Amino acid sequence: MNDSPKKRILVLPFLDEQTSRSANVLDQARKSVVAILTQTGQFLVVSNDDFPQGVERFKNQQNYNLEAIAKIAANLGVAAVVEGVIQEVKVKRLSDQVGVFRKVKAQVDGAIRMRVVATKTGREVLNDVRTAQVVSETTKVGEYQTSDRFLEEDPFLIHQVIEKALRGSVSQISLALEKLSWEGRIALVKGERIYLNAGRLSGLQVGDILKVMEEGEEVFDPETGALIGRVPGRMKGTVEIVSYFGKDGAIGIVHSGSGFQENDRVELY
């Protein structure tokens, strides 16, 4: 069993290379990703509503500006940002019963691309394309349809093929994020109490000791100007977790050191 705190990740709304597909398809695709990642027990998926500037402003038709999103997400204690793109969903009907309520058997082919950027470095740690094929049944109500197009909007069939395609990608996401260290942030300092942006849901335990670090300086490649990473900041001291608050916050007291401020990073000791 992994007793380390869960890494916070931001799963962006899915994109689609075919603009005529409905928003329901994209919503189902993201739900499948969130469900699979959550089932691993390694991650805590942050709501897109918690992103302070709205993720839609960082989107064009084909992709997101993951580097810009990652920079903002880092201040939320997010370890990585995940982008998913549906490249293809094709459905071929294999059999169709007669009646108002009927079972439809279909072959579904799908292809998705997953990109993951680590917030600490702003670098892409995964760019993976996965394909899958499933044969499954869904229930349809109403008149018989001559075209298979309506099946491409069926949420059950979409979930089946995307989940199969994602299984391989999620294992790669897990491997990529294993290399990233967990960190949180100080949200508020009030007297002797220090309020953190991670708590019970993130896997912190009462009695845990966390290091408090200053924000390190960003280092850029002198030739390309690309961000290489952030050097570790000075260690200010340690905090001991004594209780929880809110949806996923923790309250700590000073264990050693001083001068703790809002937005200081906290790491496992």
Side-chain angles (χ1 to χ4, degrees):
M1 181 178 178
N2 185 5
D3 293 328
S4 299
K6 297 176 183 178
K7 294 185 177 76
R8 291 187 175 198
I9 56 174
L10 184 70
V11 180
L12 301 172
F14 256 64
L15 302 174
D16 196 340
E17 290 188 355
Q18 182 175 314
T19 57
S20 62
R21 252 191 294 267
S22 75
N24 290 334
V25 177
L26 303 181
D27 185 53
Q28 182 58 52
R30 183 184 180 276
K31 286 180 178 177
S32 297
V33 174
V34 171
I36 295 170
L37 289 172
T38 302
Q39 287 168 10
T40 67
Q42 300 175 40
F43 309 112
L44 183 64
V45 179
V46 176
S47 171
N48 287 316
D49 292 337
D50 293 337
F51 192 78
Q53 300 185 34
V55 296
E56 295 296 323
R57 65 182 293 238
F58 296 94
K59 181 184 77 173
N60 58 40
Q61 187 173 347
Q62 296 299 322
N63 51 50
Y64 290 95
N65 184 341
L66 292 186
E67 291 74 17
I69 293 175
K71 197 166 187 177
I72 297 170
N75 293 324
L76 303 175
V78 172
V81 180
V82 179
E83 174 198 83
V85 181
I86 295 180
Q87 296 183 320
E88 182 180 61
V89 174
K90 288 186 177 180
V91 181
K92 179 182 179 181
R93 180 171 20 196
L94 301 178
S95 64
D96 195 344
Q97 297 176 347
V98 177
V100 177
F101 295 90
R102 64 192 195 280
K103 293 284 187 181
V104 179
K105 187 176 183 181
Q107 175 183 300
V108 191
D109 293 271
I112 60 169
R113 187 187 80 225
M114 302 297 295
R115 287 203 301 153
V116 181
V117 166
T119 60
K120 186 178 288 188
T121 63
R123 288 189 171 184
E124 187 178 272
V125 295
L126 181 71
N127 192 331
D128 191 31
V129 176
R130 294 278 167 164
T131 61
Q133 183 182 93
V134 297
V135 174
S136 187
E137 283 188 343
T138 186
T139 301
K140 287 299 174 185
V141 181
E143 296 181 0
Y144 181 86
Q145 298 283 336
T146 57
S147 171
D148 291 344
R149 176 73 181 179
F150 79 110
L151 292 172
E152 294 181 5
E153 302 287 335
D154 186 284
F156 179 76
L157 294 177
I158 292 164
H159 173 73
Q160 294 289 303
V161 72
I162 288 178
E163 182 178 48
K164 185 175 180 180
L166 282 172
R167 288 295 175 187
S169 262
V170 167
S171 64
Q172 293 301 311
I173 293 173
S174 297
L175 288 173
L177 297 187
E178 273 182 7
K179 303 172 184 177
L180 305 179
S181 58
W182 178 88
E183 67 175 49
R185 297 277 175 168
I186 292 180
L188 177 68
V189 178
K190 192 171 183 180
E192 296 181 352
R193 289 181 173 260
I194 298 162
Y195 296 85
L196 307 179
N197 71 346
R200 192 192 304 272
L201 288 179
S202 292
L204 290 181
Q205 304 292 323
V206 170
D208 281 351
I209 305 296
L210 305 178
K211 295 186 294 185
V212 180
M213 311 290 293
E214 282 184 342
E215 187 69 43
E217 184 179 355
E218 290 182 339
V219 178
F220 296 87
D221 188 302
E223 292 188 4
T224 65
L227 176 66
I228 298 173
R230 189 181 293 273
V231 297
R234 178 181 66 89
M235 179 175 168
K236 291 184 171 183
T238 57
V239 169
E240 180 180 353
I241 304 300
V242 294
S243 61
Y244 305 110
F245 76 98
K247 182 179 179 181
D248 187 34
I251 302 172
I253 58 173
V254 176
H255 183 262
S256 68
S258 62
F260 303 152
Q261 297 179 339
E262 292 178 14
N263 211 40
D264 280 346
R265 292 189 299 113
V266 292
E267 302 175 354
L268 295 177
Y269 188 70

